[in-house]
Amino acid sequence: MIRSTEPFLVIKRKSSIYQGDASEILSLVLPRHGRVVILTDENVARCHPELVGRYPHLLVGQGERAKSLAAARQLYLQFIELGVDRSWWVVGIGGGVVCDLAGFVASTYMRGLKFGFVPTTLLAQVDASVGGKNAVNLNGYKNMVGTFTQPHFVICDSKLLHSLPVREFRAGMAEVIKAAIIGNADLFMKLEFLTNRRMRMGFKHLDQVIRAAIEVKAAIVQHDEKEQGERKLLNLGHTFAHAIEKCEPKFNHGEAVAVGILIACRIATRLGLMREEEVALIARVIGEHQLPLSAPPYLIPKFLRAIAKDKKRAGDRLSVILPQGIGSCRIHSMTFEELSELFPKECGYC
């Protein structure tokens, strides 16, 4: 198990990423005398009172519906009641929804407070908490209102994943697989042989996988913090995933990302960017990590209508991230009509 009180990575010289005991590191990075408010959810508050209980804490709802402007407004009002001012720190302790909401509220209240994250899900540790994108949903559309503001710290403690439901662990693995396809072929090879069960039983492999996935994202964010170019690569599978989540609520984010990756792979093969054997290998690894390979094809018209409103659309063109092979992706600009023609009729990999 990787244990340290020193950051293993610093993004943009201001966002320190730690891997170690969350309680110990929190005591080092936060002020000793108050002026801290915790945002978390009911499950985390119950399971990790040692992290939540030492400071005033506010509970937020669970699930994507809790990540809204209405929820942010309620938190602003509670901050006013608590007397929160610019000297306070905000700490999000929880999964992706908690971290996104905490980062958004902290970034916008009084034009910005210091904030950090203790992500308690695998998905949040490898993706949602890292990189400085903080957003809420609007009318069912994912992350339509948000900011680019780096957290001052992110503490990834693999012990916190011990009680994570199996389905939530699998969802996080979708983001790990995504990171490997984008920029780390060696990590992908490791995922061919590391089962979810093996990683959950021993923290050594899990810590290594988490660190490798974060390093892929951090290297890209260092060059393009505001998503003007290279950072778009981190959206591999997400244009399709967000549409799937909106139209088919039974898919969680990681499950939708897994299918979205395979849709992107299918389009890449049709454009001659990727070999079928590589797509088959990616599908096998996704399947071995017990993630879905396809979404209901009868919903494709709904998916396409949702994609048409994707926030990454510019005029009549979309920037679609397509793999060129394992460890390499490219940004491909296409019209919505071109995308509709290329969209696989099986809606994934069958």
Side-chain angles (χ1 to χ4, degrees):
M1 184 182 299
I2 298 171
R3 302 279 98 182
S4 175
T5 56
E6 294 294 323
F8 74 88
L9 220 165
V10 180
I11 299 176
K12 305 301 290 186
R13 298 185 180 179
K14 54 190 173 185
S15 184
S16 298
I17 315 297
Y18 297 84
Q19 206 169 17
D21 184 271
S23 184
E24 182 181 5
I25 296 170
L26 270 179
S27 67
L28 296 175
V29 298
L30 289 176
R32 292 185 179 180
H33 305 292
R35 298 198 177 280
V36 174
V37 59
I38 303 289
L39 301 189
T40 190
D41 63 40
E42 190 174 351
N43 284 343
V44 174
R46 185 180 65 253
C47 294
H48 302 291
E50 76 284 359
L51 297 177
V52 175
R54 66 174 78 178
Y55 300 106
H57 64 275
L58 303 175
L59 296 179
V60 302
Q62 297 175 16
E64 286 294 326
R65 289 188 177 183
K67 207 172 79 174
S68 66
L69 286 170
R73 180 181 183 276
Q74 185 61 36
L75 289 169
Y76 295 143
L77 294 175
Q78 291 175 293
F79 278 16
I80 292 171
E81 290 178 11
L82 276 173
V84 174
D85 59 35
R86 287 182 178 175
S87 68
W88 284 56
W89 285 73
V90 177
V91 182
I93 303 180
V97 168
V98 168
C99 291
D100 258 356
L101 191 55
F104 177 79
V105 170
S107 300
T108 51
Y109 182 79
M110 290 190 171
R111 297 190 177 93
L113 307 181
K114 294 178 180 178
F115 68 96
F117 299 135
V118 182
T120 60
T121 66
L122 179 58
L123 191 150
Q125 290 194 8
V126 301
D127 186 63
S129 66
V130 176
K133 288 172 73 172
N134 315 283
V136 294
N137 304 333
L138 185 65
N139 197 29
Y141 293 100
K142 291 268 291 187
N143 302 328
M144 291 295 279
V145 183
T147 70
F148 286 97
T149 312
Q150 293 292 341
H152 283 69
F153 63 82
V154 178
I155 304 170
C156 297
D157 185 347
S158 54
K159 295 199 314 299
L160 302 179
L161 306 181
H162 181 70
S163 59
L164 199 64
V166 172
R167 188 183 181 198
E168 289 301 317
F169 188 88
R170 294 172 187 163
M173 285 308 303
E175 292 286 358
V176 174
I177 293 168
K178 180 202 78 173
I181 295 169
I182 291 170
N184 191 330
D186 290 339
L187 173 60
F188 189 88
M189 290 176 61
K190 184 174 290 188
L191 297 177
E192 288 186 65
F193 304 102
L194 273 179
T195 63
N196 291 351
R197 183 171 179 271
R198 187 176 175 190
M199 280 188 285
R200 286 168 68 89
M201 287 176 62
F203 290 111
K204 177 184 176 182
H205 294 300
L206 181 56
D207 280 344
Q208 292 171 350
V209 163
I210 290 169
R211 180 172 290 198
I214 290 173
E215 286 172 342
V216 169
K217 183 168 187 176
I220 291 172
V221 173
Q222 292 279 22
H223 294 109
D224 179 22
E225 183 181 16
K226 301 292 179 69
E227 203 169 289
Q228 299 302 303
E230 185 182 1
R231 184 166 181 165
K232 293 178 182 178
L233 294 173
L234 297 172
N235 293 320
L236 172 64
H238 280 61
T239 292
F240 311 116
H242 291 167
I244 292 169
E245 285 180 89
K246 178 172 175 55
C247 301
E248 184 51 271
K250 74 175 185 180
F251 282 77
N252 65 28
H253 180 67
E255 291 163 349
V257 166
V259 177
I261 289 170
L262 291 169
I263 292 172
C265 288
R266 281 298 198 191
I267 293 172
T269 59
R270 293 183 179 189
L271 291 173
L273 301 174
M274 194 176 190
R275 293 181 292 113
E276 285 283 357
E277 308 91 86
E278 289 179 299
V279 182
L281 177 57
I282 290 171
R284 181 168 67 79
V285 170
I286 287 174
E288 286 177 351
H289 287 275
Q290 299 173 295
L291 288 158
L293 302 181
S294 63
Y298 63 82
L299 288 176
I300 289 176
K302 286 188 176 181
F303 295 156
L304 291 172
R305 285 196 292 273
I307 291 168
K309 296 183 180 180
D310 189 273
K311 64 182 182 294
K312 294 178 287 296
R313 185 169 182 169
D316 67 342
R317 304 191 75 81
L318 280 163
S319 292
V320 180
I321 312 307
L322 301 177
Q324 300 178 112
I326 295 166
S328 175
C329 290
R330 61 172 287 182
I331 303 166
H332 192 93
S333 176
M334 64 177 72
T335 66
F336 179 71
E337 289 70 26
E338 289 169 335
L339 176 62
S340 300
E341 288 292 322
L342 290 165
F343 201 92
K345 292 181 173 59
E346 62 273 19
C347 199
Y349 186 92
C350 297

